[in-house]
Amino acid sequence: MRRVAITGMGAISALGRNTAEFAQALAEGRSGIAPIESTSTVQMRFQNGAEVKGYCHTPYFEDRRADFMDRFAQFAVIAAREAVADAGVQFTPELRETAAIVTGSCVGGQSTEDIGFQEVYKHARNRVHPLTIPKTMANAGASHISMEFGITGPSFTISTACSSAAHAIGQAYWMLRSGVTDLAITGGSEAPFSFGILKAWEAMRVVSPDTCRPFSKDRHGMILGEGAAMLVLEPLEAARARGARIHAEIVGFGMSADAGHITQPSAEGAARAMRSALRDASLAPEQIAYINAHGTATAANDPTETAAIRAVFGAHADRLAISSTKSMHGHALGASAALECVATALALRDGLLPPTANYSQPDPECDLDVIPNQARAAQVEYALSNSFAFGGLNAVLALRAV
Amino acid sequence: MSDELIQRVIKVIATTKRIPVEPVTIDSSFEQLGIDSMDAVEILFALENEFDVSIPDDEVRSVRGIRQLCEGVDRLLSAKSAGGKAPE
């Protein structure tokens, strides 16, 4: 089996338009959470989100091309462009034919759908815009990335709610490892800030009225986010041979299903996903030093994730550094795991563990070292990135510093 | 708090949870009725529709039983009929 390197990274989020800005915000523990601007929140129980502030398709896309792309697909291409440029990939005809694209998205272009359906439901018009379907489909991100680079190899999208991008990156990793492909662009993108979607989240009563405080006693829920992150994956040896910069190595991937409740998380399910990732990577729990947590800051997730980490790591849990970067980039649903994978790779590469921002009070039910508020300098060899989705579908990536 | 209000709340709970009305009493706890967090969120949604009120998140965090639910709805209805805006 081949080793797999991350040679390119791209990120657009509330923390900035590129990976450098993302890294800078994580290093400073600076949150991108602010009043929502994309849609009205007048009748909403929450007002804050982690949006890509002031986003406009120019200068990224010509008007006519942007007409065909929901905001989530635009984010996917913007992040993929940065990742490909960062990797310094030169696409040959052969590489274009074999390269893979695996993306994750939870709601796809539902914002386009939400606005489109208002035409028939609210304005009593008799027609919906003809691009509603191709803009809404969750695979639009992968499709537009393929068109951007002329990639004609295996390309698909995975939708597993908040784990989407982790499942996507995991599939791409396995495809590289087993030799199915020699290059993959993989990650996730999301843009869920439309009135209807926000009202649906409001109804679940899991969104915080102020900010996102993972593992903090006074946490009041998640904060929705948006954006995209994409990675370029290549076989490690080939990447070294062409002199590519290697940000980090992906060494394992594990999945599990809770088979329990459609929304309540299960510590057993989460623990099984972490164990599965460790097994896939042939790692002992004691070799892990940092975990980028799922850490949504809901009442249910954080104690459950704490219990799962304690179950997997035993006494070593007290030596782990853990943080939830959702406190800064928000919960970008199907893009979250990709943003968090980039955050984890940056932590390994730069020797700087990102903090859990907005942390104010210890919670006895979340009694782990969650790197409160201040990034921590530490050279770490192995890390996990956790994602536990609604629907009980869990995915965990294991990364190694190179 | 009127008996009519209690019965309406109980009916909403039974209908939402798809259980008979009989075992649901003012003294039932969510735990006794097998009401989990997602059931509770659905019940709040149904109560908001039934009574035309808006139930704020922080009002419901500590609610564990039917009596607390009835008292909460009663409070919101009183605020509504007094012309005051329900606390958001």
Side-chain angles (χ1 to χ4, degrees), chain A residues 358-370:
Chain A
N358 309 318
Y359 185 87
S360 66
Q361 285 177 38
D363 180 349
E365 286 194 286
C366 307
D367 57 343
L368 297 165
D369 172 8
V370 297

Side-chain angles (χ1 to χ4, degrees), chain B residues 1-2 5-6 9 26-27 47 59 63 65-79:
Chain B
M1 191 162 64
S2 73
L5 181 137
I6 294 165
V9 170
I26 182 86
D27 295 315
L47 288 171
E59 288 264 317
V63 174
I66 310 310
R67 186 178 297 278
Q68 280 173 292
L69 263 189
C70 293
E71 286 167 357
V73 170
D74 191 45
R75 211 163 39 240
L76 289 168
L77 287 174
S78 305

Side-chain angles (χ1 to χ4, degrees), chain B residues 6-63:
Chain B
I6 294 165
Q7 290 313 312
R8 274 172 78 190
V9 170
I10 286 174
K11 183 152 186 291
V12 165
I13 292 163
T15 306
T16 305
K17 180 73 182 157
R18 296 182 184 272
I19 54 175
V21 173
E22 291 74 37
V24 187
T25 74
I26 182 86
D27 295 315
S28 306
S29 70
F30 285 178
E31 199 181 349
Q32 285 165 343
L33 299 172
I35 291 170
D36 67 21
S37 65
M38 199 65 230
D39 292 330
V41 165
E42 266 197 277
I43 288 165
L44 294 171
F45 170 73
L47 288 171
E48 286 183 326
N49 286 339
E50 171 73 16
F51 293 99
D52 190 25
V53 291
S54 176
I55 305 173
D57 285 343
D58 47 351
E59 288 264 317
V60 301
R61 260 182 213 113
S62 59
V63 174

Side-chain angles (χ1 to χ4, degrees), chain A residues 9-11 15-27 30 82 342 346 349-350:
Chain A
M9 300 195 290
L15 301 181
R17 302 290 176 90
N18 56 51
T19 305
E21 290 177 20
F22 183 71
Q24 184 67 30
L26 294 180
R30 175 160 44 84
E82 189 197 350
V342 169
L346 288 168
R349 187 193 73 185
D350 300 339

Side-chain angles (χ1 to χ4, degrees), chain A residues 194-205:
Chain A
S194 78
F195 190 72
I197 297 173
L198 296 190
K199 288 304 279 185
W201 279 101
E202 177 189 47
M204 287 202 74
R205 296 177 185 269

Side-chain angles (χ1 to χ4, degrees), chain A residues 127-357:
Chain A
R127 52 182 72 87
V128 171
H129 195 279
L131 287 174
T132 303
I133 299 293
K135 285 172 76 176
T136 300
M137 60 195 192
N139 60 300
S143 301
H144 283 286
I145 292 170
S146 79
M147 290 185 276
E148 174 79 17
F149 301 105
I151 291 171
T152 55
S155 301
F156 57 99
T157 296
I158 295 176
S159 190
T160 47
C162 319
S163 297
S164 300
H167 279 112
I169 294 166
Q171 294 312 308
Y173 161 62
W174 279 351
M175 286 168 76
L176 257 297
R177 191 171 73 171
S178 64
V180 170
T181 184
D182 289 330
L183 184 139
I185 299 172
T186 182
S189 70
E190 206 76 84
F193 288 93
S194 78
F195 190 72
I197 297 173
L198 296 190
K199 288 304 279 185
W201 279 101
E202 177 189 47
M204 287 202 74
R205 296 177 185 269
V206 291
V207 180
S208 168
D210 50 9
T211 191
C212 174
R213 304 183 190 280
F215 304 110
S216 191
K217 177 93 176 158
D218 57 349
R219 69 187 177 279
H220 287 308
M222 56 184 270
I223 288 286
L224 285 163
E226 67 173 354
M230 294 290 160
L231 310 173
V232 171
L233 304 184
E234 295 177 73
L236 183 75
E237 294 312 316
R240 279 196 175 134
R242 74 171 182 90
R245 179 188 193 185
I246 296 166
H247 297 293
E249 184 180 352
I250 301 184
V251 293
F253 172 54
M255 304 181 262
S256 73
D258 291 348
H261 190 279
I262 197 69
T263 56
Q264 277 294 318
S266 139
E268 292 72 31
R272 272 188 288 112
M274 282 187 270
R275 287 195 188 101
S276 168
L278 292 173
R279 201 163 47 242
D280 191 57
S282 301
L283 288 173
E286 291 70 27
Q287 289 177 273
I288 302 294
Y290 169 68
I291 299 178
N292 188 298
H294 186 55
T296 54
T298 60
N301 177 82
D302 297 2
T304 306
E305 186 166 9
T306 301
I309 288 169
R310 289 209 170 277
V312 172
F313 292 92
H316 184 65
D318 291 315
R319 287 190 294 275
L320 286 169
I322 291 151
S323 64
S324 169
T325 48
K326 286 190 177 78
S327 56
M328 293 173 273
H329 53 66
H331 193 346
L333 307 177
S336 257
L339 290 168
E340 289 158 25
C341 187
V342 169
T344 307
L346 288 168
L348 295 173
R349 187 193 73 185
D350 300 339
L352 188 66
L353 307 181
T356 301

